[in-house]
Amino acid sequence: MVYKMLVSDLDETLLNDDGTVHEANLAAIKQAVAARFKFVPNTGRSFKSVQELLKTLGLYDQAGQYVISYNGAAIVENKDNQVLLTRGMDLALAEKIFKAGLVNETVDVHVYTVDTLFIYNISPTDKQYMAERGVPYELMATDDLAFLVNEQPVMKVIFEHPDEAVREQIRDAVLAAVGADQVEATFSSSRYVEFNKKGVDKGSASLLLGEKLGIARDEIIAAGDNNNDLKMLTAVGLGVSVANGIPAIKEAADVVTTKTNNEGAIAEILEKYVL
């Protein structure tokens, strides 16, 4: 099989734990892209927050190269950050998710629009995490989302908490409030529980981008490590878990790398299947 595109998660997959890019990954990506291969960051983050990374990878402001953002809620061409597709939720649903997930006073909440990340009740650990990765955001002074009426649609709503039991409590509370048929609920980075509109995920977005580019499902590789990568790995032709992936991802993957994110796992994939 000749593979034409790799869609890759960022944190704990492409990136080292400190947010940098392993030299082996950088070299392999640049070599593959030079051969007209598509390397597509497929992330829960905003496309605006990955611009420095795109510069590092040589993909910044490049026509014909793309980013999938917000767990599949937006597809953006890197040239002029042209938003090609959005699949957001309406404000009423976002408000229900937001209210239901505030299970205690230690929970912080991210609300993403196409252009801006708003954070309510930001925790010290989340503040540090955002700073380390250079993610821009605006603080919310209250839990009233009415100001978003001119900002909608909302791409996703996520909650941050270091305690897994609290994250599970948040998931259960939101699903009880809005219905499991209304949202996609996933976990990521051992700190977030994320909610997208039902049907919006990294996998379906990968196939939509492939369709736009004339790339078949079987010609796409996906790489990830965590719960929000699951549908991406199972949607494409070759799903790869990095060595540090959680057990459920390793089980679902077609292949598990021998290297972790800190050891150049993406380079291992590209060298074996593309270069």
Side-chain angles (χ1 to χ4, degrees):
M1 172 59 63
V2 176
Y3 295 104
K4 297 180 180 179
M5 180 166 73
L6 169 60
V7 290
S8 175
D9 176 56
L10 297 185
D11 295 312
E12 293 86 47
T13 300
L14 168 67
L15 301 178
N16 297 323
D17 287 347
D18 63 2
T20 60
V21 182
H22 194 285
E23 289 184 3
N25 286 345
L26 183 58
I29 291 167
K30 288 187 174 181
Q31 185 179 348
V33 170
R36 303 180 70 82
F37 185 79
K38 304 295 184 187
F39 179 82
V40 180
N42 195 339
T43 178
R45 298 194 214 167
S46 160
F47 62 94
K48 287 189 172 181
S49 75
V50 301
Q51 298 304 301
E52 290 302 316
L53 172 62
L54 295 179
K55 290 177 182 178
T56 298
L57 299 178
L59 300 175
Y60 176 74
D61 203 32
Q62 293 298 302
Q65 296 292 342
Y66 304 86
V67 171
I68 296 172
S69 283
Y70 313 116
N71 289 334
I75 298 175
V76 181
E77 185 170 6
N78 296 348
K79 180 65 176 176
D80 299 325
N81 283 329
Q82 182 182 357
V83 179
L84 305 180
L85 172 70
T86 61
R87 300 188 294 166
M89 66 181 72
D90 61 40
L91 184 55
L93 178 57
E95 289 176 326
K96 289 179 182 178
I97 294 168
F98 187 96
K99 296 292 186 183
L102 288 173
V103 297
N104 65 50
E105 68 278 0
T106 65
V107 174
D108 88 354
V109 195
H110 298 197
V111 180
Y112 288 83
T113 66
V114 174
D115 296 317
T116 309
L117 164 59
F118 299 94
I119 302 183
Y120 173 72
N121 195 35
I122 190 168
S123 69
T125 54
D126 202 24
K127 188 174 184 179
Q128 179 181 353
Y129 195 77
M130 295 290 107
E132 288 174 349
R133 283 152 179 78
V135 178
Y137 59 89
E138 295 185 16
L139 292 176
M140 294 172 53
T142 75
D143 62 359
D144 184 357
L145 299 189
F147 75 98
L148 289 173
V149 68
N150 296 320
E151 300 266 359
Q152 61 180 321
V154 173
M155 295 293 100
K156 67 172 186 173
V157 179
I158 76 174
F159 300 82
E160 188 266 357
H161 200 280
D163 189 329
E164 181 179 1
V166 174
R167 295 194 300 272
E168 291 178 349
Q169 183 184 0
I170 293 167
R171 176 200 59 194
D172 293 346
V174 170
L175 293 182
V178 306
D181 61 339
Q182 296 298 306
V183 293
E184 300 284 350
T186 56
F187 297 98
S188 66
S189 297
S190 299
R191 61 194 307 120
Y192 298 118
V193 54
E194 312 201 10
F195 297 93
N196 287 84
K197 185 173 72 173
K198 192 68 176 180
V200 175
D201 57 70
K202 290 183 175 184
S204 60
S206 299
L207 298 183
L208 286 169
L209 179 57
E211 182 178 349
K212 171 181 172 55
L213 301 177
I215 298 174
R217 170 189 178 275
D218 290 345
E219 297 172 323
I220 303 172
I221 307 172
D225 72 285
N226 215 310
N227 179 261
N228 66 335
D229 302 318
L230 180 59
K231 289 190 175 182
M232 175 175 71
L233 267 62
T234 56
V236 302
L238 182 67
V240 183
S241 169
V242 292
N244 53 290
I246 65 172
I249 291 297
K250 289 181 176 179
E251 183 177 351
D254 300 304
V255 176
V256 178
T257 64
T258 62
K259 295 180 179 179
T260 68
N261 63 306
N262 292 315
E263 298 168 330
I266 294 300
E268 179 182 333
I269 297 167
L270 290 172
E271 288 164 1
K272 184 171 183 180
Y273 297 103
V274 178
L275 300 176

